[in-house]
Amino acid sequence: MSTSLDPHLGEMMQRLGRSAVSAASVLALTSTEAKNAALAAAAGAVRARAAAILEANEHDVAAARAAGLSAALIDRLVLSEPRIESVARSIEAVMALPDPIGVTTAQWQRPNGLRIQRVRVPLGVVGIIYESRPNVTADAGALCLKSGNAVILRGGSESRHSNAAIHACLVEGLTAAALPAECIQLVPTTDRAAVGYMLAGMIDYLDVIVPRGGKSLVARVQQEARVPVIGHLEGNCHVYVDRDADVRMAQAIALNAKMRRTGICGAAETLLLDRACVGSHLVPVLHTLLEAGCEVRGDERVQEADARVRPATEDDWYTEYLDAIIAVRVVDGVDGAIAHIARYGSAHTESIVTENQATAERFLQRVDSAIVLHNASTQFADGGEFGMGAEIGISTDRFHARGPVGVEQLTSYKYVVRGAGQVRP
């Protein structure tokens, strides 16, 4: 731990850590019924306190606008009555999921009579560092509670009032179910040094850290954390329109994948088009995007199709815009698309649009990303859309968790072995 850290901050973070470890020991043995009761009460509190949450959010949004935050970041920050209802429903969706703790995932018997089971257990204490989106406070708290983990939440300073208002609802739910309020803790300071402390000064308390935010935050966490990290650095997602794609489907998917919400990690950043269908598909898809207000940056062939297209640079193929901008390139069939994604992609989410099943299967098998889709928008890269209730984030790691991180991904396992007096010869 760095000696430059504020000792008062250190004392506070140590208290959070000790409290979380104590709460985790209780939560690991808490019944499904008690966890669900806490979640139900928390969802009820979100609805009951909607006006207070909106008022808190207005403070955050006003400050964000005054600070000149981008439209994409403000979109992530803004709450509304429908979004608050969505927060409550997300908590209830997590409540409705099967409890993963104590589930036997495999069992077998050895020739010597030993009976072995692999059983799901909580990770312990999860630290979550996130930016902008106040709904993450509810999603992360609910997922960790359901999976038996205590959690320490460190939200961004731009959403501190909103986070505190939602956290109060989670605490109300815990109290109603007679569970320790310390099961879900919110770091009560905007001091950026708290992030450094979580990364380097809490190895005795945190079992894993999950970053959810921009590239600079995730990169810092991955570089500095002294405990395991679950996260993704970028969401450079692709849509590939194949020669056998239905053109209207291609238009609809490209538009939704890019423009539904441009500031989320599942938004498409690059559109790839098969050279064999340039004459029939390129102009309709381009016009759909351009007329929706999307800036298009394309290669020479794409620029020839519409004067509004700006030239793409090499950097554009690597870029996660998180804005109404998309890079468009013509490639040589599905193998050209696969090669482009392998070179420039971030292993997050990729989609192919085609009516040719064999081509689709080639793409799905050979593209090495956390999520691959056929004839569907990349914006389905979401734990809620996967039926997981909610998610803490999308992992592009290859160890432990990959794709949406939900309740099952927040568990580990242990082996339970039962014998009848066996000794090893």
Side-chain angles (χ1 to χ4, degrees):
M1 182 176 64
S2 172
T3 56
S4 64
L5 291 172
D6 182 345
H8 298 293
L9 175 66
E11 291 170 7
M12 181 191 72
M13 299 300 290
Q14 292 281 328
R15 285 196 301 272
L16 290 177
R18 289 192 296 270
S19 297
V21 170
S22 177
S25 66
V26 174
L27 195 52
L29 302 175
T30 295
S31 68
T32 302
E33 291 73 21
K35 290 188 285 189
N36 285 348
L39 292 169
V46 167
R47 292 190 175 100
R49 299 186 182 203
I53 295 171
L54 284 173
E55 182 178 352
N57 185 245
E58 287 174 2
H59 286 293
D60 290 332
V61 173
R65 287 184 173 137
L69 266 65
S70 70
L73 287 176
I74 290 175
D75 176 63
R76 293 182 178 199
L77 176 61
V78 170
L79 291 175
S80 61
E81 289 187 3
R83 286 190 179 183
I84 289 175
E85 175 59 24
S86 178
V87 167
R89 289 183 180 177
S90 180
I91 294 172
E92 291 172 337
V94 173
M95 179 184 70
L97 294 172
D99 191 338
I101 302 305
V103 172
T104 298
T105 61
Q107 57 185 336
W108 60 94
Q109 182 166 319
R110 299 292 296 143
N112 61 5
L114 289 178
R115 292 175 291 125
I116 303 172
Q117 293 176 301
R118 188 166 64 233
V119 180
R120 288 194 183 278
V121 297
L123 292 173
V125 179
V126 180
I128 301 179
I129 303 170
Y130 56 104
E131 298 173 333
S132 299
R133 294 184 191 171
N135 67 289
V136 175
T137 302
D139 289 348
L143 288 166
C144 287
L145 176 60
K146 188 62 182 260
S147 56
N149 296 291
V151 61
I152 297 175
L153 303 167
R154 204 291 181 178
S157 59
E158 69 280 358
S159 56
R160 65 183 185 275
H161 296 101
S162 307
N163 292 337
I166 293 173
H167 176 251
C169 298
L170 298 173
V171 171
E172 184 175 323
L174 291 167
T175 302
L179 291 174
E182 294 79 13
C183 290
I184 304 173
Q185 297 183 90
L186 184 67
V187 176
T189 177
T190 59
D191 188 339
R192 292 186 177 184
V195 173
Y197 204 95
M198 289 180 73
L199 299 179
M202 298 187 72
I203 59 175
D204 292 333
Y205 308 114
L206 293 178
D207 294 287
V208 66
I209 288 180
V210 182
R212 183 164 176 173
K215 181 178 179 180
S216 60
L217 168 67
V218 179
R220 179 188 177 190
V221 172
Q222 291 178 335
Q223 291 167 5
E224 297 181 19
R226 295 180 62 192
V227 296
V229 175
I230 299 175
H232 76 273
L233 188 60
E234 289 182 288
N236 186 13
C237 305
H238 298 73
V239 173
Y240 165 61
V241 177
D242 182 61
R243 68 191 65 184
D244 295 316
D246 177 272
V247 67
R248 290 185 178 178
M249 182 185 294
Q251 289 173 276
I253 289 176
L255 179 64
N256 183 266
K258 175 71 264 185
M259 298 297 287
R260 173 187 166 270
R261 290 190 70 182
T262 59
I264 65 173
C265 62
E269 306 293 10
T270 298
L271 174 69
L272 303 172
L273 193 89
D274 190 344
R275 193 176 305 278
C277 68
V278 164
S280 56
H281 289 56
L282 179 56
V283 169
V285 174
L286 280 183
H287 282 184
T288 297
L289 290 165
L290 289 164
E291 292 305 316
C294 183
E295 177 184 322
V296 176
R297 302 177 185 178
D299 63 12
E300 289 184 6
R301 182 63 186 86
V302 177
Q303 293 171 59
E304 292 170 2
D306 195 297
R308 293 171 290 179
V309 176
R310 299 183 181 185
T313 67
E314 180 71 5
D315 287 343
D316 282 309
W317 311 123
Y318 291 103
T319 300
E320 181 186 29
Y321 299 108
L322 298 175
D323 202 349
I325 306 170
I326 194 167
V328 182
R329 187 176 216 174
V330 174
V331 294
D332 292 320
V334 67
D335 288 337
I338 293 168
H340 178 101
I341 292 168
R343 177 175 178 179
Y344 297 103
S346 60
H348 193 292
T349 299
E350 332 297 347
S351 177
I352 179 173
V353 185
T354 186
E355 297 301 301
N356 187 313
Q357 193 63 39
T359 302
E361 290 304 315
R362 185 176 184 86
F363 183 92
L364 297 175
Q365 291 174 10
R366 298 196 177 199
V367 171
D368 186 22
S369 293
I371 302 170
V372 288
L373 306 102
H374 175 208
N375 287 347
S377 169
T378 58
Q379 299 235 354
F380 283 107
D382 177 87
E385 294 296 330
F386 278 32
M388 299 164 70
E391 67 179 37
I392 285 181
I394 304 289
S395 171
T396 54
D397 293 338
R398 285 170 171 78
F399 290 104
H400 185 69
R402 198 177 192 199
V405 179
V407 290
E408 287 191 8
Q409 291 71 36
L410 290 172
T411 65
S412 183
Y413 53 82
K414 66 181 178 183
Y415 290 96
V416 179
V417 183
R418 292 182 173 86
Q422 291 92 332
V423 294
R424 187 169 178 175

